[in-house]
Amino acid sequence: MLIVKNLHVRVGDKPILRGIDLEVHAGEVHAIMGPNGSGKSTLAQVIAGRDTYEVTQGEVYYEGVPLLEMEPEERAREGVFMAFQYPVAIPGLSNTRFLHAALNAIRKHRGLPELDAIDFLALIREKAAFLQMDAGLLERPVNEGFSGGEKKRNEIFQMAVLQPRLAILDETDSGLDIDALKIVANGVNSLRRPGRAFIVVTHYQRLLSYIVPDRVHVLYEGSIVRSGGKELALELEASGYGGLQRGAARDAAPALP
Amino acid sequence: MGTQQAGDAFLRNLDGLRGHTVASRPSWLGELRGAALGRFTRLGFPTTRQEEWRFTDLSRMLSIRFEPACGGASDGLASEAWALVHALPGPRVVLVDGHFRADLSVTAAGRGIVVDSLCRVLRDSPGLLAPHLAHYAPWREHPFVALNTGLATEGVFVQLAAGAVQEEPVHLVHLWTAAGKARVAHPRALILAEPNSRAAIVESYWGSHGSVSLTNAVTEIVVGRGAVLEHAKLQEEGDEAFHMATVQVHQQSRSSFTSHVVFLGGSLARNEINIRLEGRRCRCTLNGLYWARGRQHMDLRTRIDHAQPACASEELYKGILDERARGVFNGKIYVHRAAQQTDAKQTNRALVLSDQARVNTKPQLEIFADDVRCTHGATVGQIEPEAMFYLRSRGIAERRARQLLIWAFANDVVGRIGLAPLRTAVEQLLTAGDGLSVGPVAGRLP
């Protein structure tokens, strides 16, 4: 579903990613872990289409199509979704209106009829209830005055409505208390499908107790220095990121064909 | 032509204008008119050398030879105007080309409530006006207020007796019909909300594109002790209209006043709203939105005088500037020495959509009491790239994302309008009213 080949990215003169290789198949959950500043969020944002980063080398294929040539909205319509680490507040635009515009843009692209207001409201009420999200938040301006936890839950709510094929969760666990974390994790787990993949970017192992990954990658100074199964997250929890060094890769991501 | 010469030409034309004023009876009114015109002659028209008018150049307006408006014969109300008229089924006073139209108006004299044309009240019960008319608006200092006071031929009188509750909003409709000649009108409104009364009043101004007009309006409002008044002013005049207006509000203790100002039309439009908090524990809320395109020039000013202790004021003004438009915002908060425990908050934001558009924004806080909480924030900016990316990352096309963000910026103010029919009318003016399902697609949005 997603193939990242030798991806180099910089901001200004500063290299952030230095040759990332990653392959994610449909149905899989990949965790990307690493210390602050290792490039985790950059990788997520580059896949989603943020243009403040400059790709200097490498390629990204999504469903066999070169992803980096697509506008962010095209990626979204093709099924890429990123849950933002810092969701943006938009005073004056209701959550409902925003999401309705988004869903219909995606449905139209997929050749599906647009949902009218009644069907749309029924859909979002159901999704909100499932995520135990206060229905009052639906009519509030997007993320305006939301608590940290409400913002993160709102991201997962949007994901549940938009039904992406590739979902990237960028530090969705940060700022969540344990109850909110469980609700978010349940929401994610309920969306796991054979045809859908997740990339879970996180600093901590904690989230991975609830969203159990198939693969764990450790990002350090812009490179994946280790990859392994879910037990790697536990190992890191015990040993910390201190022991990591560039080039000290064991069990690195398999070379791509 | 400079402002001075243009002003002189306008003044030479004044005698012609004066001939059309209504008979100056009773005598106090004649004296008032004379004094106001005398004052105006001395003040002259403002020039950009005066601080209050630095960014608003009147020379083009003053080079036009305006004639006093004759009563509009046609019923050419803009369809948007009719839509709002029908959506507000309460009492209304309709002025077409500055003249009262009894046939279009629904005047009221419900229990404790008077809504009528100023001339009719002047004829039938001038005693209602004498203690109030021109007692509030600063005709001795402000040339346009002086001119209005001297020349106003028609207007609106609203009175709410103590404790009266007017459930349906009162609508004051001002309409310019299409015409080949440049016309001027000086509509005057006097609104008296006596203690513990409650009402909502909408003033709307409409026009026709391609017709030159000057509206020089003055509205005086007294909000009595414990009264609750919501006032909205919507200006959607034609593209060659000039609009100069002062709204003067005096609040007595424990009263509450909310103002919404929405300026969309006109070539050059200026609105000044001055609030005097003259009793303890008053609350006032000022919301404003202007949206200027083409070569429109909009100048929105607010002044809040905290003259007594323990009053709260909150202000949000936003402007959108596109193409070659010019915007001016000036928000003054003056906290008098006696006004301890003042809580004043002012926010103003401008969204500049084009390289050629410009805005001058100036918050002014003058504080002479020590136990106060005053905050203000002013921003001028473009559409935020983070917000654009957020919308696009959800599948919304770039152009549409931009529309939604502009809409959101405006709706942050429009959404505060409590009167649903008015809010809907404004939304429709902004978006061509395509509702929830597809969101704004046309109207004013680029």
Side-chain angles (χ1 to χ4, degrees):
Chain A
M1 174 171 283
L2 184 77
I3 298 170
V4 180
K5 279 187 183 174
N6 191 32
L7 184 68
H8 287 70
V9 172
R10 68 180 183 197
V11 174
D13 291 336
K14 195 181 169 206
I16 310 280
L17 299 181
R18 311 162 189 250
I20 300 286
D21 291 296
L22 180 67
E23 190 163 342
V24 178
H25 299 108
E28 292 178 348
V29 175
H30 287 235
I32 297 192
M33 303 185 69
N36 290 330
S38 58
K40 307 187 296 289
S41 283
T42 300
L43 178 60
Q45 298 215 37
V46 167
I47 294 171
R50 188 76 213 260
D51 63 2
T52 46
Y53 301 94
E54 187 190 352
V55 176
T56 54
Q57 234 189 98
E59 289 153 284
V60 180
Y61 293 94
Y62 169 70
E63 307 277 25
V65 179
L67 186 74
L68 299 176
E69 291 163 22
M70 294 161 70
E71 297 292 341
E73 59 266 36
E74 294 176 292
R75 301 181 196 198
R77 291 169 190 180
E78 290 292 339
V80 177
F81 178 94
M82 179 176 74
F84 280 53
Q85 182 179 6
Y86 303 109
V88 181
I90 306 175
L93 181 63
S94 78
N95 235 348
T96 303
R97 190 166 188 148
F98 162 55
L99 205 47
H100 199 180
L103 181 65
N104 276 345
I106 290 171
R107 287 179 66 92
K108 199 173 167 190
H109 178 77
R110 293 180 188 165
L112 296 168
E114 298 190 1
L115 284 190
D116 65 20
I118 293 165
D119 290 344
F120 176 73
L121 286 173
L123 172 73
I124 60 171
R125 286 198 184 118
E126 176 208 320
K127 302 291 184 191
F130 179 71
L131 289 166
Q132 298 174 39
M133 204 168 100
D134 179 359
L137 294 181
L138 300 178
E139 280 308 320
R140 291 244 306 267
V142 179
N143 295 321
E144 171 81 349
F146 284 28
S147 70
E150 284 171 340
K151 284 183 187 173
K152 295 302 178 76
R153 212 179 292 189
N154 197 26
E155 295 292 290
I156 302 304
F157 164 67
Q158 292 175 30
M159 180 171 81
V161 173
L162 300 180
Q163 297 276 322
R165 285 202 275 266
L166 173 65
I168 305 152
L169 311 186
D170 189 5
E171 308 230 7
T172 298
D173 50 337
S174 66
L176 290 186
D177 63 29
I178 193 71
D179 292 332
L181 186 79
K182 283 181 186 168
I183 292 165
V184 163
N186 281 340
V188 172
N189 288 332
S190 72
L191 290 168
R192 289 180 77 157
R193 299 275 187 284
R196 180 174 289 144
F198 289 87
I199 297 174
V200 180
V201 172
T202 180
H203 188 86
Y204 301 104
Q205 187 275 334
R206 193 176 67 150
L207 178 65
L208 304 179
S209 306
Y210 300 99
I211 304 172
V212 180
D214 301 296
R215 297 286 293 169
V216 175
H217 310 277
V218 181
L219 201 56
Y220 186 73
E221 292 185 353
S223 304
I224 290 177
V225 294
R226 285 188 69 183
S227 292
K230 62 184 180 214
E231 63 289 345
L232 179 55
L234 295 166
E235 188 188 319
L236 282 169
E237 182 78 354
S239 64
Y241 294 115
L244 295 171
Q245 279 176 17
R246 254 175 81 73
R250 285 185 289 140
D251 185 21
L256 293 164
Chain B
M1 192 166 0
T3 311
Q4 191 59 54
Q5 294 92 319
D8 289 347
F10 197 103
L11 280 176
R12 277 196 297 280
N13 194 25
L14 188 63
D15 285 336
L17 298 178
R18 199 192 325 240
H20 289 263
T21 55
V22 290
S24 292
R25 279 189 303 268
S27 63
W28 62 265
L29 183 61
E31 285 160 24
L32 172 65
R33 285 186 192 286
L37 283 179
R39 208 50 219 161
F40 169 73
T41 312
R42 233 164 307 149
L43 291 167
F45 281 106
T47 72
T48 52
R49 287 190 298 279
Q50 285 158 263
E51 183 57 30
E52 296 287 296
W53 294 85
R54 205 172 128 205
F55 301 110
T56 296
D57 183 354
L58 300 175
S59 48
R60 193 167 61 83
M61 179 180 100
L62 297 178
S63 70
I64 295 168
R65 196 179 168 87
F66 289 97
E67 297 181 16
C70 302
S74 111
D75 293 354
L77 276 164
S79 60
E80 297 92 341
W82 271 129
L84 184 59
V85 165
H86 291 311
L88 296 172
R92 66 172 173 262
V93 172
V94 179
L95 302 186
V96 175
D97 295 341
H99 289 250
F100 174 60
R101 285 285 295 267
D103 56 326
L104 299 175
S105 300
V106 182
T107 56
R111 213 170 28 202
I113 293 167
V114 179
V115 177
D116 209 340
S117 104
L118 203 58
C119 282
R120 291 212 306 209
V121 177
L122 197 58
R123 186 190 64 205
D124 300 341
S125 31
L128 288 177
L129 302 180
H132 296 288
L133 191 70
H135 283 239
Y136 309 101
W139 60 268
R140 288 180 187 85
E141 296 84 35
H142 194 302
F144 284 99
V145 176
L147 194 62
N148 175 289
T149 306
L151 297 179
T153 53
E154 190 48 284
V156 186
F157 178 70
V158 177
Q159 187 182 36
L160 304 149
V165 175
Q166 170 62 36
E167 295 290 353
E168 293 177 317
V170 175
H171 191 185
L172 316 179
V173 186
H174 300 259
L175 172 89
W176 286 109
T177 57
K181 290 187 241 169
R183 298 152 303 161
V184 56
H186 308 272
R188 184 90 184 193
L190 177 61
I191 297 165
L192 304 173
E194 291 179 1
N196 302 313
S197 61
R198 203 171 70 206
I201 294 175
V202 178
E203 287 187 61
S204 65
Y205 294 79
W206 312 85
S208 316
H209 290 317
S211 296
V212 182
S213 60
L214 166 57
T215 302
N216 174 34
V218 173
T219 300
E220 292 179 293
I221 299 175
V222 178
V223 192
R225 189 169 37 78
V228 178
L229 193 69
E230 183 164 2
H231 177 257
K233 175 167 174 175
L234 168 63
Q235 187 272 109
E236 170 72 326
E237 294 190 320
D239 56 0
E240 293 189 40
F242 298 90
H243 188 100
M244 295 282 138
T246 294
V247 178
Q248 187 76 26
V249 183
H250 282 222
Q251 282 189 247
Q252 292 163 2
S253 59
R254 292 179 188 271
S255 64
S256 170
F257 178 75
T258 302
S259 157
H260 308 280
V261 170
V262 178
F263 264 47
L264 305 175
S267 163
L268 188 160
R270 171 159 163 143
N271 195 68
E272 302 179 31
I273 181 162
N274 304 312
I275 313 282
R276 284 193 60 89
L277 303 171
E278 298 198 313
R280 292 169 175 254
R281 299 193 182 281
C282 295
R283 306 189 67 84
C284 92
T285 305
L286 304 185
N287 297 317
L289 172 71
Y290 63 93
W291 192 328
R293 295 180 301 171
R295 290 178 171 272
Q296 280 182 301
H297 179 110
M298 296 208 188
D299 183 348
L300 280 290
R301 313 178 87 82
T302 66
R303 175 178 170 135
I304 302 172
D305 274 88
H306 281 264
Q308 290 292 325
C311 296
S313 65
E314 187 172 354
E315 181 173 356
L316 174 68
Y317 263 67
K318 284 186 154 189
I320 301 173
L321 295 122
D322 203 355
E323 297 162 344
R324 306 175 69 87
R326 186 75 188 265
V328 184
F329 172 78
N330 185 290
K332 187 181 276 189
I333 295 174
Y334 195 102
V335 181
H336 296 245
R337 199 178 305 276
Q340 301 294 356
Q341 289 112 48
T342 286
D343 188 348
K345 185 175 174 211
Q346 181 192 91
T347 308
N348 82 84
R349 301 194 188 289
L351 179 62
V352 181
L353 299 175
S354 125
D355 292 341
Q356 277 116 35
R358 273 191 294 165
V359 60
N360 292 91
T361 180
K362 186 177 176 189
Q364 276 181 283
L365 268 58
E366 294 187 33
I367 301 169
F368 298 94
D370 46 30
D371 177 18
V372 301
R373 190 167 63 183
C374 292
T375 62
H376 73 91
T379 61
V380 175
Q382 282 97 39
I383 290 176
E384 289 175 25
E386 293 77 15
M388 276 295 286
F389 177 60
Y390 193 60
L391 264 59
R392 294 177 70 192
S393 80
R394 298 298 182 249
I396 299 171
E398 187 173 7
R399 181 166 172 274
R400 185 90 173 87
R402 189 176 145 88
Q403 287 181 340
L404 279 172
L405 291 173
I406 298 168
W407 157 252
F409 183 87
N411 190 46
D412 187 28
V413 177
V414 177
R416 293 164 201 252
I417 298 174
L419 300 170
L422 178 66
R423 192 173 61 241
T424 304
V426 173
E427 283 176 3
Q428 284 173 349
L429 286 172
L430 298 181
T431 66
D434 44 8
L436 180 72
S437 59
V438 284
V441 289
R444 206 156 271 272
L445 293 162

